[in-house]
Amino acid sequence: GREVLVPDAADQKVVWPVLGRPGGVVVDGHLAGTWRPTTARGRFGVRYDPWGPDTPDLREAVEVEVERLAAHRGLPSAGLLAP
């Protein structure tokens, strides 16, 4: 069940809320945070909430994915936004 992917019950509520499910940031097979897409003024951005240390390498990897998602949606990127 869910406890295999996310052992902590409080974190499960963040990942699987009743409405508006976020995406998961997975690092080395483990959930390292959540993200939610947002579009404002014709720009695509992501609200990113890391669950541990927000290392430069992790942030850069998430930023690369934001750029890819923006291009996929045909929108300019607004980059990472505060959670």
Side-chain angles (χ1 to χ4, degrees):
R2 293 177 177 180
E3 61 279 348
V4 172
L5 294 174
V6 182
D8 184 72
D11 289 342
Q12 289 176 17
K13 291 179 182 182
V14 172
V15 175
W16 293 290
V18 176
L19 297 172
R21 300 188 192 280
V25 176
V26 179
V27 176
D28 295 329
H30 300 283
L31 200 57
T34 59
W35 66 273
R36 292 179 183 271
T38 184
T39 303
R41 298 185 182 136
R43 295 170 54 98
F44 175 81
V46 165
R47 296 199 182 286
Y48 163 60
D49 186 16
W51 288 1
D54 188 22
T55 66
D57 288 343
L58 177 58
R59 181 165 284 272
E60 181 180 344
V62 174
E63 287 172 345
V64 167
E65 293 304 317
V66 171
E67 296 298 322
R68 292 175 69 183
L69 285 168
H72 175 73
R73 293 184 181 203
L75 295 169
S77 175
L80 293 178
L81 309 170

